[in-house]
Amino acid sequence: MKDDRLLTLGIETSCDETAAAVVADGRIVMSNIISSQIDIHTQYGGVVPEIASRKHLERINDVIQNALNDAEVRASDIDLIGVTYGPGLVGALLIGVAAAKTMAYALDKPLIGVNHMHGHIAANYLEYQELDPPFMSLVVSGGHTEIVNVTDYNKCEKIGGTRDDAAGEAFDKIARVIGLGYPGGPKIDRAAREGDRNAIHFKRVYLEEGSYDFSFSGLKTQALNYLNSERQAGREINTNDVAASFQEAVVEVIADKAVSAALEFKRNKIVMAGGVASNTRLRELLEEKAAEHGIEILKPSPLLCTDNAAMIASAAYYAYRCGERSGFDLDAVPGLEF
Ligand code: KG4
Ligand code: ZN
């Protein structure tokens, strides 16, 4: 039923989730439909872009209709359409962008192209109704490991990022080589709970003094070398210990840098975002380190951390309120920067 709240339809197809959601006034999730392709891509050990695009195309109309049905609204009740236009897989993004443009045209409603990473941060506006910028954000996902200084709803500045692999990517790779399968992050998280994080010492890479950048490729090589030498020596590998030790080396550096950034920029909140933000140990360690300085950690529920369209709707709403509009020439931008 339509009331006087501004209803945003969010659409997300940047990777392997076909998602649509209806959000009221940028804060209230009325529906959040996620059709995951994980089972299909698992057979190949990772996301196959061509398959992802085809699946998005098959599912997008039903997913949008389900989002409207779940929210108990009609398409004509929607005030605004927000869609992820990058970063992501080009063929996958194009399906969402085309669906959003078609709906915006047919319904004669404004269209807002959303940066997927801004969407991850906006997930926190859904989880924390009182949250307003400014704050420091830690965005950790399959493709990104970034520290972002958020000064306003439509203003943010990346102050550090990964120079090679993203944290999620590193988890996914190590999980594959120790036989945990895809997607690796949640599996490493689970295995690590049964392991000893001090069993193997993996290096912590902090780069230059004062830098908020990350590098995980050396750590990944060290872990691969360790696994090879253990196998060659005929020693049995304790998967849980490797998972726990590797995870610790990744999350310790991330937590330290996020806290340093909050201190330098005088922010009393660190807002977590992205799939890796649901990592149990990262949440725990970051909270521990932040508490020493009176900094609060905001951590959305796992469903809002991983890819979803409610976060895209929220980001679109705030972009709209700040005067942004996209034209029908909106295109997918796979390498879109922050
Ligand atoms: O944000 P997201 O859903 O998609 C991207 O935008 O990339 O993040 C997916 C990434 C994957 O690399 C996945 O392995 C990782 O997040 N991930 C985790 C956990 N849950 C998901 N990594 C560590 N611990 C977790 N619990
Ligand atoms: Zn994402």
Side-chain angles (χ1 to χ4, degrees), residues 12 14-15 17 87 116-117 119-120 139-144 273-275 305-308 311-312:
E12 155 65 40
S14 67
C15 190
E17 260 102 25
H116 180 81
M117 307 317 292
H120 273 302
V139 190
V140 269
S141 72
H144 291 76
C305 283
T306 45
D307 290 350
N308 66 86
M311 69 185 198
I312 302 303

Side-chain angles (χ1 to χ4, degrees), residues 271-311:
V271 159
M272 298 180 78
V276 183
S278 55
N279 183 272
T280 324
R281 181 62 186 150
L282 176 59
R283 287 173 174 239
E284 183 182 74
L285 198 62
L286 186 57
E287 217 147 40
E288 236 173 77
K289 289 180 186 279
E292 290 168 21
H293 303 279
I295 297 167
E296 191 190 351
I297 301 298
L298 274 63
K299 32 189 204 320
S301 60
L303 186 73
L304 289 174
C305 283
T306 45
D307 290 350
N308 66 86
M311 69 185 198

